[in-house]
Amino acid sequence: MGEHRNSNFIEKFIALKKKMNLTITAYSTGLFSTWIFIEELGILLDAGDGVSSGLLQKTRKIKQAFITHPDRDHIMGLFQLNPLSAREGYPKIYYPKDCGSFPYMRDFQRKFDVQNNFVEWNPIENLSEIPVRKDFYVKAIRNEHIKAAPEISKSLSYKLYETKEKLKKEYVDLDKKTLQNLFQKKGKENLVKTIETNILSYSGDTPVDDYEKWNGSKILIHEATFLENFDDIKINKENKHSKLDEVLKMVSEIEIEQLILCHFSSRYYKEDIDKNILELCKKYQIKIPIRVIYPGEIHRDILNQKPVNY
Ligand SMILES: [Zn+2]
């Protein structure tokens, strides 16, 4: 038995690493609704209106929903999603701990429909880490969308990490037999190290601030509510958003592999968005693929969508 397990363990490291594909279905239009579903992991990022009617039966696959903040366009889908996907211990909702709206919503939902008693509501804060299966976890990080003192968590971004055990460098080139012997002699813990990869990051609603928080993300999903400078127009002055130019400038200065832009205002047409992205790609010399969640459209499997700039 022990021998067999060793052999499986070795096979795992010798076999070509299988890359996990993420099937991401998403809708995002500033002011109206934002929801992003990662099918393989059963996680939902924000739960705007229309999430269940967009996902239909797949709504029941949602195990964990990470909500960035309590604005209407990020939470209203919970009224339909919760009773629809409720079963023992699920879905698990995570929300910024200092937002009073969530406990109100929880209490109302419980009174409204007994099915909602299954739903688990979890207050979280800056740097909270939440396990997603055994080899993934989500880390919450504070953003500045809602003005609040540093110790207050009212608006969060989320980063998804994969943890993998890898053979230490000095053992990589050894053959199977030698590895098996070493494994027996030294034990697994001395042969491998744990590698963490930031597979995906989701900004939620946020102004562009600290570039460093996204550096090293494989996929970044970032909001870009405005194409131009709307500072002088009265738009929700308290809650801060990002402009496309600032987002792309930041992207040109950090290391990421793919960018997905979301939360555009419904005032923009697809053509305007594409044109602006292409101009800015030139200006900032951006070479990575950029995909867009256009206002008013559900995108199914967005990573297989053609990038705007390719
Ligand atoms: Zn929003």
Side-chain angles (χ1 to χ4, degrees):
M1 185 68 191
E3 186 69 22
H4 181 65
R5 260 212 306 270
N6 288 357
S7 158
N8 278 349
F9 168 77
I10 302 295
E11 297 286 351
K12 214 172 98 189
F13 285 102
I14 292 174
L16 278 173
K17 300 270 175 325
K18 207 179 138 221
K19 226 176 129 189
M20 186 162 99
N21 289 320
L22 295 181
T23 310
I24 301 175
T25 298
Y27 180 95
S28 180
T29 308
L31 192 67
F32 291 97
S33 172
T34 288
W35 52 266
I36 297 160
F37 175 55
I38 305 173
E39 195 167 329
E40 288 77 3
L41 298 173
I43 65 179
L44 185 72
L45 303 166
D46 278 329
D49 185 24
V51 52
S52 305
S53 52
L55 291 174
L56 298 172
Q57 287 303 324
K58 285 187 178 172
T59 306
R60 295 172 195 274
K61 288 190 169 185
I62 297 170
K63 290 193 176 130
Q64 292 167 297
F66 297 89
I67 312 298
T68 56
H69 65 295
D71 281 355
R72 197 180 59 233
D73 55 327
H74 297 256
I75 59 171
M76 284 303 174
L78 290 175
F79 285 97
Q80 169 78 305
L81 183 160
N82 280 345
L84 205 57
S85 62
R87 67 268 194 210
E88 193 67 47
Y90 292 104
K92 298 183 193 299
I93 312 293
Y94 302 89
Y95 64 91
K97 76 168 174 48
D98 296 308
C99 298
S101 323
F102 292 99
Y104 279 125
M105 194 190 235
R106 177 197 62 204
D107 295 347
F108 170 79
Q109 288 196 1
R110 283 177 182 167
K111 282 184 191 156
F112 184 76
D113 184 339
V114 288
Q115 193 67 11
N116 285 322
N117 285 322
F118 287 120
V119 181
E120 199 186 282
W121 295 76
N122 303 284
I124 56 170
E125 58 191 321
N126 186 32
L127 305 182
S128 289
E129 293 183 2
I130 304 103
V132 176
R133 304 193 342 188
K134 68 174 199 318
D135 45 354
F136 287 87
Y137 70 93
V138 165
K139 187 185 205 171
I141 46 167
R142 177 200 164 87
N143 69 48
E144 302 305 320
H145 176 56
I146 301 173
K147 220 170 143 186
E151 70 282 5
I152 302 289
S153 288
K154 288 205 168 204
S155 184
L156 298 170
S157 304
Y158 293 110
K159 296 177 77 171
L160 173 69
Y161 287 87
E162 182 178 23
T163 55
K164 255 188 187 165
E165 287 179 332
K166 277 194 173 167
L167 272 182
K168 287 182 183 168
K169 226 165 77 201
E170 57 269 40
Y171 304 120
V172 169
D173 294 324
L174 300 180
D175 61 74
K176 194 174 160 184
K177 189 114 200 145
T178 321
L179 273 175
Q180 256 163 355
N181 287 337
L182 270 172
F183 182 78
Q184 218 112 61
K185 238 193 286 172
K186 295 194 167 196
K188 176 183 152 192
E189 59 285 3
N190 291 309
L191 264 62
V192 300
K193 56 180 176 183
T194 304
I195 309 276
E196 294 200 343
T197 312
N198 182 193
I199 297 286
L200 180 142
S201 298
Y202 169 53
S203 69
D205 287 6
T206 183
V208 169
D209 43 43
D210 178 14
Y211 287 13
E212 214 32 55
K213 35 183 195 193
W214 311 127
N215 204 2
S217 292
K218 298 239 175 225
I219 302 165
L220 172 61
I221 305 178
H222 203 288
E223 76 123 298
T225 308
F226 302 117
L227 293 185
E228 55 285 274
N229 202 336
F230 271 91
D231 278 352
D232 14 273
I233 299 183
K234 270 198 220 140
I235 308 164
N236 212 349
K237 280 211 165 147
E238 279 303 297
N239 292 350
K240 294 194 194 118
H241 287 286
S242 302
K243 291 176 217 95
L244 182 67
D245 191 308
E246 305 169 307
V247 177
L248 293 186
K249 181 174 189 292
M250 170 178 76
V251 163
S252 74
E253 293 179 30
I254 58 173
E255 291 284 328
I256 60 168
E257 290 178 8
Q258 306 194 50
L259 176 67
I260 298 173
L261 293 165
C262 67
H263 206 269
F264 284 101
S265 159
S266 63
R267 80 192 66 205
Y268 303 120
Y269 292 106
K270 229 170 162 168
E271 294 73 28
D272 298 331
I273 295 171
D274 287 358
K275 188 172 148 267
N276 277 270
I277 291 173
L278 289 174
E279 281 169 14
L280 291 165
C281 278
K282 224 180 222 173
K283 180 175 169 189
Y284 295 120
Q285 303 272 302
I286 293 171
K287 302 270 190 286
I288 59 158
I290 300 177
R291 294 178 175 87
V292 177
I293 303 172
Y294 294 103
E297 288 183 19
I298 293 180
H299 293 261
R300 300 188 190 276
D301 195 8
I302 191 163
L303 291 176
N304 275 320
Q305 181 179 305
K306 189 181 166 306
V308 182
N309 57 334
Y310 274 37

